[in-house]
Amino acid sequence: LGSGGFTNRMMEEVRAERGLAYWALARWSSEWDHNGIFVAASATKSKTTATTIQAMLDVMEDFLKGGVGQKEFQEGLNRMTRAEVFQVDTPGEVLDQAADLRFHDYPWNFHNQLARATLQLTPASVLAAARRHLDLSHLLLFVMGNPTEFESSLEQFGAVTAWLDEPLRASIPGPTAQPLEVEQGKLLAR
C-alpha cells in the first residue's frame, strides 16, 4: 500500500500519477510490547493539502475495495523478505537485535518465525487483515501548514482543531486554538 520506496501504490498515485508530493507512504508500524499504529503521511505544498489528503484517502479506499494484485503482492513480499538481511548486517545491529529480543522477552528465533509467517501471506489474507484493522472513518488527520494557503477547508474531512505555538499564532490570521487545546494536541501527537 505505501512502504518500500518509490514503487508502492501510495507513491505511484500521489507522486507519480498526480504530482502532488515528493513522497507519500502508508504502513503499519509495529511495536514490541503493544499494537502499532497505521500511519499515512506525505509532504506537499500548502495549496495542494486538501487534494493530497483526498488522493491518499482514495488510494486507501481503493485498496480496501479491490485488494492487491498478485504482481504487486509479490513485489511487496520480496521487499519485506529481502530487507531483513540489511537489519543485521553489522555486528552492532546483530547485538541490538539480540538485546531487543532479550529485553522484550521474545524467543531467540522470533525473526525466523516472522519470516516463515510472512511467506505464508496471500493477497487475500493481506486484504482481510487490512479490512479488519483499517477503518477510514476512524482516522485522525494531523496537518501541519499555513491554513490560509490551503486550497479548501479541511473541514470536508471532519472537525478541525487548530493548535499552534505562540510565535506562529500571532502571524496567522483567523481563528486559533485555545491554550488547553494546544496542550491536548501536543499530548495527542506524542
Side-chain angles (χ1 to χ4, degrees):
L1 177 61
S3 64
F6 286 92
T7 59
N8 68 68
R9 190 182 294 205
M10 191 67 74
M11 281 287 284
E12 288 285 327
E13 182 65 26
V14 175
R15 179 191 170 157
E17 293 295 321
R18 299 191 194 190
L20 292 170
Y22 180 70
W23 59 268
L25 62 88
R27 65 181 177 86
W28 271 274
S29 64
S30 57
E31 301 296 334
W32 287 99
D33 55 355
H34 61 279
N35 289 337
I37 62 170
F38 177 78
V39 175
S42 72
T44 191
K45 300 176 289 296
S46 292
K47 66 182 181 181
T48 57
T49 299
T51 303
T52 301
I53 292 169
Q54 188 59 59
M56 294 176 71
L57 290 170
D58 291 347
V59 170
M60 290 181 270
E61 186 175 320
D62 288 346
F63 181 82
L64 291 172
K65 284 181 182 174
V68 59
Q70 186 61 43
K71 181 178 184 277
E72 184 181 23
F73 171 78
Q74 195 59 51
E75 288 171 356
L77 187 65
N78 289 343
R79 274 195 306 272
M80 286 178 63
T81 56
R82 293 178 183 160
E84 181 65 29
V85 69
F86 298 109
Q87 304 301 313
V88 289
D89 60 346
T90 68
E93 290 171 342
V94 171
L95 183 60
D96 284 346
Q97 191 176 83
D100 281 340
L101 292 172
R102 178 75 174 149
F103 180 80
H104 295 287
D105 199 28
Y106 274 59
W108 288 107
N109 66 346
F110 169 75
H111 293 286
N112 290 338
Q113 291 175 16
L114 180 61
R116 281 193 303 277
T118 300
L119 291 172
Q120 299 300 311
L121 294 172
T122 65
S125 66
V126 169
L127 178 58
R131 287 178 175 167
R132 249 187 342 268
H133 298 289
L134 180 56
D135 182 348
L136 298 182
S137 69
H138 286 88
L139 293 179
L140 293 175
L141 302 178
F142 288 90
V143 178
M144 188 167 76
N146 184 342
T148 63
E149 295 178 5
F150 297 164
E151 78 270 36
S152 61
S153 170
L154 299 186
E155 290 179 346
Q156 63 187 299
F157 304 109
V160 173
T161 301
W163 47 281
L164 306 168
D165 290 325
E166 281 305 319
L168 289 175
R169 181 187 308 272
S171 69
I172 298 176
T176 59
Q178 299 302 311
L180 178 60
E181 292 168 327
V182 171
E183 291 309 311
Q184 289 172 332
K186 288 179 181 178
L187 288 173
L188 187 59
R190 287 187 191 137

